[in-house]
Amino acid sequence: MPDARSSLPFDLTAAAIPAVAGAWSAFLLAPLAELPAMPVAALCALGLFLLGLAAMRLATPPPAAFPVAVFTPPVADDEELLLDVPVEQRMDELAELLLSDPLPAPAAGSRVVQLFAPGAGHAGAVPVGQSGDASDALRLALDELRRSLARR
């Protein structure tokens, strides 16, 4: 449950809203009843503020849906941190973190290697029109991009 100090600004704000609205209404309506506007507005504001503050104090918050866990941060002893020891000294411990099935390197003759290799579209590339899929269009677009960048 929140303590009284943290909910007090919210209670005061919630009580002030109807007090200001009532004071404004009383200020505008008091002359119609031939009453002085300022004292009537002040009394109305005070009454509505106290009524609103009492209502806010009587309202109780709903119970928490989940219990709040108490967290205590761990205290670091004179333990050795991971970065305190050079990596070369801990290779056996780090070996278990390495992948057991690393990704294989792409084959030298694959289309991706050929498309993005330096000088692609020149000697050693698959001739345009023989692959039979969208790689021809990609190759042409990359060649055009290389030519436009070379002109600048």
Side-chain angles (χ1 to χ4, degrees), residues 50-95:
L50 293 176
L51 184 65
L53 189 59
M56 291 301 296
R57 287 296 175 177
L58 289 175
T60 58
F66 300 103
V68 178
V70 177
F71 175 74
T72 56
V75 178
D77 295 332
D78 291 336
E79 295 178 7
E80 198 170 49
L81 297 177
L82 184 63
L83 297 177
D84 289 343
V85 179
V87 176
E88 293 82 19
Q89 294 177 3
R90 298 183 312 110
M91 285 307 289
D92 293 335
E93 296 173 21
L94 294 176

Side-chain angles (χ1 to χ4, degrees), residues 12-22 49:
L12 293 176
T13 303
I17 293 172
V20 170
F49 180 76

Side-chain angles (χ1 to χ4, degrees), residues 2-62:
D3 61 353
R5 289 178 290 155
S6 66
S7 66
L8 184 63
F10 298 107
D11 291 348
L12 293 176
T13 303
I17 293 172
V20 170
W24 180 252
S25 299
F27 181 77
L28 294 178
L29 295 176
L32 297 177
E34 297 178 4
L35 296 171
M38 289 302 284
V40 171
L43 286 174
C44 183
L46 180 63
L48 286 174
F49 180 76
L50 293 176
L51 184 65
L53 189 59
M56 291 301 296
R57 287 296 175 177
L58 289 175
T60 58

